[in-house]
Amino acid sequence: MRSAVRTLAAGDADALVSAGSTGALVALSRHLLGTLPGIRRPAIMKTLGGADGRRFRMLDLGANIGSSPEQLHQFALLGTAATGVSAEHGRGANRDDVPAPCVGLLNIGSEVRKGPATVREAARLFESDDRLRYAGFVEPHRLFDAATDVVVADGFAGNIALKAAEGAAQMARYVLGRELSGNSPAVALGRAMLRGRLGRVRDAYNPQLYNGASLLGIAGVVVKSHGGANRQGFENAVRQAVDALTTGLVERLAAGI
């Protein structure tokens, strides 16, 4: 992994995709590549599928165990800039035609007095920054409503939320497969009639389709793949790195921040 990061730092590679240790990848990237000007710590951001096919981005997902209000504020700026770059590129429009991404802050409740002091102070920083379109707290059970374009969390809470969601998705896929695995005529007919719908349900719970998380704030394109990714998952991680290069993500993040 160190050799790979050195290769990227030397300019002999354009991007890096790794399925290795997250902690080692973050540490090596910070040491050998450095962070963008003004960024104290990088954050891991991942695109997730929400309700009605809407997608949202969440960070930090494990680059930092604990984060100060100021760092959460920086994560919000990074997530906003990254989401804005993606939207602008997808529409082929200029910056004025793309609305600012909506940002939420993960918390145990939606009330302003809920949650730890760090999260409440971060919310005040969000509200006072005109660069952010802040929508308030996002409760974990409403996470996949995709009511906001970006959800900010510290790495500890974000990583737990992500892994809990992955576990729930695996359970849903297992239950669905078990209920539809019978050979009776009724079950076989149901499978045949609902083949297309069942495929879409399967895809909605397939983490391989969303594999790949960008290490934002690093002065280079670094994508973290899940260690258990299959061929399709690795393809999506590599595709994410290519998309970051195509959109000039790092350069435009630096300009946006």
Side-chain angles (χ1 to χ4, degrees):
M1 187 187 292
R2 186 180 186 90
S3 296
V5 178
R6 276 180 171 170
T7 300
L8 180 60
D12 294 326
D14 296 310
L16 170 64
V17 178
S18 174
S21 164
T22 300
L25 182 63
V26 172
L28 287 168
S29 297
R30 287 186 65 194
H31 178 64
L32 298 175
L33 295 170
T35 57
L36 296 175
I39 298 298
R40 294 182 183 178
R41 287 182 173 273
I44 295 175
M45 185 186 76
K46 186 179 181 70
T47 300
L48 299 169
D52 298 327
R54 295 192 300 271
R55 293 193 174 194
F56 66 99
R57 290 169 171 81
M58 186 171 177
L59 74 167
D60 175 31
L61 296 177
N64 311 277
I65 296 300
S67 300
S68 67
E70 292 75 20
Q71 288 167 355
L72 292 173
H73 179 226
Q74 288 193 347
F75 297 163
L77 292 172
L78 285 170
T80 293
T83 304
V85 167
S86 177
E88 183 179 347
H89 180 75
R91 295 184 184 194
N94 61 53
R95 188 176 299 276
D96 293 336
D97 294 329
V98 180
C102 184
V103 180
L105 184 58
L106 189 67
N107 199 0
I108 59 174
S110 59
E111 299 86 351
V112 295
R113 297 182 181 274
K114 284 286 186 72
T118 299
V119 174
R120 298 198 306 271
E121 176 59 27
R124 286 190 283 270
L125 293 176
F126 287 19
E127 290 174 338
S128 63
D129 192 335
D130 293 337
R131 294 170 293 179
L132 297 175
R133 186 157 68 98
Y134 179 53
F137 294 138
V138 176
E139 296 184 70
H141 73 286
R142 304 300 300 271
L143 185 61
F144 290 91
D145 290 355
T148 63
D149 302 302
V150 179
V151 176
V152 176
D154 68 66
F156 182 80
N159 191 270
I160 287 179
L162 176 64
K163 289 181 177 177
E166 289 174 345
Q170 290 176 359
M171 183 64 184
R173 284 168 61 87
Y174 168 76
V175 171
L176 180 63
R178 182 188 63 190
E179 293 299 321
L180 296 175
S181 62
N183 294 319
S184 68
V187 173
L189 178 61
R191 284 199 302 265
M193 293 178 63
L194 298 175
R195 185 179 303 276
R197 292 180 180 271
L198 292 174
R200 289 191 291 273
V201 171
R202 181 192 62 230
D203 289 344
Y205 289 107
N206 183 3
Q208 303 297 339
L209 295 179
Y210 303 98
N211 184 54
S214 295
L215 187 55
L216 294 188
I218 290 294
V221 175
V222 178
V223 175
K224 174 67 175 73
S225 170
H226 197 290
N230 60 19
R231 182 174 180 173
Q232 181 186 39
F234 275 114
E235 177 189 358
N236 285 322
V238 172
R239 190 181 303 279
Q240 183 171 329
V242 173
D243 288 344
L245 293 170
T246 302
T247 59
L249 176 63
V250 174
E251 295 78 12
R252 298 174 77 173
L253 277 180
I257 296 300

